[in-house]
């Protein structure tokens, strides 16, 4: 059922150190995407500055060929994704890499962001 989350070869996704991610987002060098659903976001907030793109709308909102692709995204700008624990964000990151994003990272979970000193904002 969740085969779309499994890597299918080719594109590589690496884990990014959370402290590095916090610094790169602050410097505007990295786009951060929260792939959790709206209920999760409302209950725990999101990483400050992150785009909220629920996993189910990732293809529509992040595929450069989609008319609904977010303007904040660019194939040549590094992007990191996170969820609650890192499982969904790994699959989502793999999808972005397959769409042509050149540098895609899995941050892990919101806890990793917060533990590295990243701010949380309420949704």
């Amino acid at each position: 059922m969740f085969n779309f989350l499994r890597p299918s070869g080719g594109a590589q996704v690496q884990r990014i150190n959370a402290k590095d991610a916090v610094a790169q987002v602050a410097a505007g060098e990295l786009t951060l995407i929260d792939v959790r659903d709206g209920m999760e976001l409302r209950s725990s907030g999101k990483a400050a500055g992150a785009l909220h793109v629920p996993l189910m709308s990732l293809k529509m909102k992040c595929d450069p060929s989609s008319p609904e692709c977010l303007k904040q995204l660019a194939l040549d700008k590094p992007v990191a994704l996170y969820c609650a624990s890192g499982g969904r964000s790994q699959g989502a990151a793999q999808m972005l890499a397959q769409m042509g994003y050149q540098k895609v990272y899995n941050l892990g979970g919101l806890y990793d962001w917060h533990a590295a000193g990243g701010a949380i904002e309420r949704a």
Side-chain angles (χ1 to χ4, degrees), residues 10-83:
Q12 294 295 315
V13 173
Q14 297 177 357
R15 185 78 184 244
I16 188 170
N17 177 285
K19 287 187 185 234
D20 292 342
V22 170
Q24 289 177 32
V25 169
E29 300 168 355
L30 179 72
T31 301
L32 188 61
I33 299 176
D34 183 328
V35 298
R36 298 174 304 145
D37 67 36
M39 191 178 327
E40 289 174 290
L41 198 77
R42 287 186 293 282
S43 72
S44 61
K46 70 178 182 78
L51 299 173
H52 179 232
V53 182
L55 184 59
M56 297 312 263
S57 52
L58 192 74
K59 181 131 176 80
M60 178 178 57
K61 297 291 187 180
C62 298
D63 188 339
S65 67
S66 169
E68 294 188 42
C69 185
L70 298 172
K71 303 293 183 236
Q72 301 95 318
L73 300 174
L75 293 176
D76 59 350
K77 184 175 182 183
V79 61
L81 296 91
Y82 73 90
C83 59

